[in-house]
Structures are given as C-alpha cells and as structure tokens.
Amino acid sequence: MTTLSAKPQRFSIGYHLNSWDLEGLPLQPALKFLADQGFGWFEILAFTSLSDQFARKYMQLGHQAPMGVTTDTDILRRYAILSKAQSELGIRLSSLYVNAVFVNPVAWEYERDVLLSLARLLKGFDAPVLVLGGGPSVASGNAHDAQDYRDFARALEDIGRRTKDLGIDTVYHPHLDTFVETREQLDRLMDVLDTSVAGLCIDPAHLAQTYSDPVDAVKTYISAIRYMHLKDTKVDPALKGYDRYAAFCELGAGVVDLKGIVKELLDADYDGLAIVELDASQKTAEQSTLESIDYLKNTLGLVLTPDARA
C-alpha cells in the first residue's frame, strides 16, 4: 500500500453508472452491486433530450441510431430507481451530469429551465452537486474569442447562483468535444469565471487526452474544485473521434498520474466527492469496477469512505 501524503483522506469515493447505463444494462442490479462493494455515492447521466442533442451535434461519437423517444413516464421511473437505491440500499445520488450549449441565446432560456428543474430534483435527493458539461468546441466552428469565454462564464454563474440558493454546488467539467478541452482553454475560462458561484469538476482522463497535465490542473485550481472524477485512459496520437473515448480504462491501466492527483487532493485537505468513472467497459462493468477498487485500496491507499478506515 502506498502512502501518498502525511495528511488523512477526507473525501469519499463514489462510482459512475456509465458502464451500465451507456450499454443499456439494468440499473437496479448495478446499484446493488456498487452498494455491496461499499460505495456510498453514485453519479448518473441526466439523460435529457437537450443533452442528447448536444452530444449528437458536437461530440465525435461515431455513427449512432436515430434518437429514441423517452416519455415522462420513462424518465420518472428512472429517477424512482435512484430513489429506491437511496432508501433501500443506502447508496446516495451525488450528482447528475448534463450537457448544454450555454452560448446560444435562443436555446439558453430552455437550457436554463431544464438545469433549474434538475437542481430541484437533486435537492429532493439531498444530492450536493450539479455537473455541467458542454458548450461548442473549437472544432465545431465556435470562435472561442474573449467574449465567448465571458458569455460562457456568465451562463455557468447564472446556474451556480441559483443552485447555491438550494445548497447545491454547480461545477463545470472540461471534456473532449466541448467548450473546454485543453489546459489553455481551461485557463482562459478560469480567468473570467466567478468561482464563488461556479466551480470545477476535474476529470484527469479528458485532460490527458488533449496532452494537458491533469496533476498541474488540480494543483493550480484546487480552490475551485468542488467535485472530482477519478478516471484513467490510454493516450495515443493515432486515436481520433470515438476511439479516444474507447481508450478510457480501469484505474491504473492507463497513463494518468493518479498518484500525483490523489496527493494534491490529500495535501489540500479536499473534502468533496471523488467519483470513479469508466464509460463502456471492455470487460464487464462489474469486473472493471473491482479492478479500480483494488487500485484505489492497494496502490493508492484510499478507502471508499474515510470513516470506514481501520
């Protein structure tokens, strides 16, 4: 077991449901499996149509089937599964992840209403965080000039002020194929973002895919980080489009300096949540989870819940 810092672990670790959700696998057994492993928290995609439309328009995800139709009954039953997991299994919703464009003034009124409704839903779950992704990337034709960054920051702040009133942190997640992909873009956003109302979720795998240093990003912006993703990836300059997403892997199987990231979190007394994430597993969702848990415990010396440390 590795000791990465003299300071004790103050953050709890959860798991993202992507590995089941993106493959169309049932959520109830997934949540029970995660609870049985000792996780106290989980994250899940909001699965709004606006988020889906953003992904189809701006993200390089390869060929996809036509959009399906999700009824209000479908989405409410989805949230009922999460509610039952919380009341019956004791595993809590940490956050919903949702994409938006943010800089389209015609769409913004609709996006803002959706985000505020999701925040009210999170309030009912007593979930602490709303994770925002999206914004058009440079590759999609967005100019990314100084005014674009200011407009983008003002939209994040607008949501952040409103969720702060509910006791919920709004965080932005730099991500492949979105407004902020690289460290240079992150720096430009942080120069104009009021972090008292909108913070960051750093995902080291996405930064690594753009040849940005995620350890330095965590160190530089630790005061604005309200939420973390723990994710690993294999990086190869030959990877394009969807292959970059397929390169995500179990913790310890890629090139991300997870030890360096965890040391920065420990040294800074980070006491938020850190969510282990993997998209589609190349094995099974359960096997990938077990391998990441083993790396967390036996290589990084972490526990899923600090209070459970012997």
Side-chain angles (χ1 to χ4, degrees):
M1 181 181 295
T2 301
T3 301
L4 301 177
S5 173
K7 291 192 173 183
Q9 176 187 345
R10 298 184 64 199
F11 58 90
S12 292
I13 300 173
Y15 205 88
H16 205 299
L17 283 167
N18 267 352
S19 295
W20 293 269
D21 218 9
L22 296 177
E23 295 294 307
L25 299 172
L27 296 180
Q28 294 101 322
L31 287 160
K32 184 178 187 306
F33 171 78
L34 293 177
D36 288 345
Q37 305 316 307
F39 287 106
W41 297 91
F42 67 91
E43 181 180 341
I44 194 170
L45 300 175
F47 265 6
T48 65
S49 59
L50 284 175
S51 192
D52 191 13
Q53 289 165 4
F54 174 87
R56 288 169 179 274
K57 183 174 181 179
Y58 293 108
M59 297 174 71
Q60 300 175 50
L61 299 176
H63 298 297
Q64 299 183 58
M67 282 184 66
V69 175
T70 302
T71 68
D72 54 352
T73 302
D74 295 331
I75 196 69
L76 291 172
R77 292 195 72 199
R78 176 179 172 85
Y79 293 137
I81 293 170
L82 312 186
S83 179
K84 289 177 183 177
Q86 195 152 313
S87 59
E88 298 174 6
L89 300 175
I91 184 169
R92 294 176 55 191
L93 177 66
S94 64
S95 54
L96 293 169
Y97 181 97
V98 59
N99 289 313
V101 178
F102 298 107
V103 291
N104 177 341
V106 177
W108 174 237
E109 181 178 347
Y110 298 88
E111 293 176 343
R112 182 176 57 199
D113 288 348
V114 169
L115 297 176
L116 294 180
S117 293
L118 290 175
R120 284 288 178 180
L121 182 72
L122 288 169
K123 179 69 173 179
F125 276 96
D126 196 25
V129 180
L130 173 63
V131 184
L132 303 181
S137 67
V138 169
S140 70
N142 185 271
H144 272 50
D145 60 22
Q147 188 60 48
D148 286 323
Y149 279 92
R150 287 192 290 269
D151 291 344
F152 194 78
R154 298 298 85 78
L156 296 179
E157 292 161 5
D158 185 1
I159 299 301
R161 289 189 182 91
R162 296 166 190 265
T163 65
K164 190 174 183 179
D165 289 342
L166 299 175
I168 295 169
D169 283 322
T170 287
V171 297
Y172 179 70
H173 179 320
H175 192 292
L176 292 173
D177 300 325
T178 68
F179 194 89
V180 175
E181 300 179 87
T182 68
R183 175 59 188 273
E184 184 270 337
Q185 293 167 344
L186 176 60
D187 290 343
R188 291 186 69 184
L189 174 64
M190 297 305 287
D191 283 345
V192 295
L193 182 67
D194 181 355
T195 58
S196 70
V197 291
L200 282 178
C201 167
I202 292 295
D203 183 317
H206 283 269
L207 286 173
Q209 281 290 350
T210 66
Y211 303 97
S212 302
D213 182 351
V215 177
D216 189 66
V218 170
K219 182 175 182 178
T220 301
Y221 294 118
I222 187 64
S223 64
I225 295 173
R226 314 274 193 267
Y227 194 72
M228 276 292 304
H229 279 177
L230 296 178
K231 193 170 187 175
D232 208 346
T233 190
K234 300 171 184 177
V235 177
D236 184 328
L239 297 176
K240 306 295 180 184
Y242 175 75
D243 288 341
R244 299 165 302 157
Y245 293 90
F248 295 140
C249 56
E250 297 80 11
L251 299 185
V255 301
V256 173
D257 183 4
L258 292 162
K259 291 181 181 178
I261 287 166
V262 169
K263 184 178 187 303
E264 293 298 333
L265 297 177
L266 295 172
D267 286 348
D269 290 322
Y270 175 73
D271 61 356
L273 292 172
I275 305 298
V276 180
E277 184 185 17
L278 177 62
D279 292 353
S281 170
Q282 303 300 314
K283 303 171 184 179
T284 67
E286 291 79 7
Q287 180 61 33
S288 292
T289 303
L290 293 174
E291 291 180 17
S292 288
I293 292 173
D294 180 74
Y295 186 82
L296 286 168
K297 292 182 176 180
N298 296 319
T299 300
L300 299 180
L302 300 175
V303 295
L304 303 185
T305 304
D307 291 344
R309 186 183 294 274

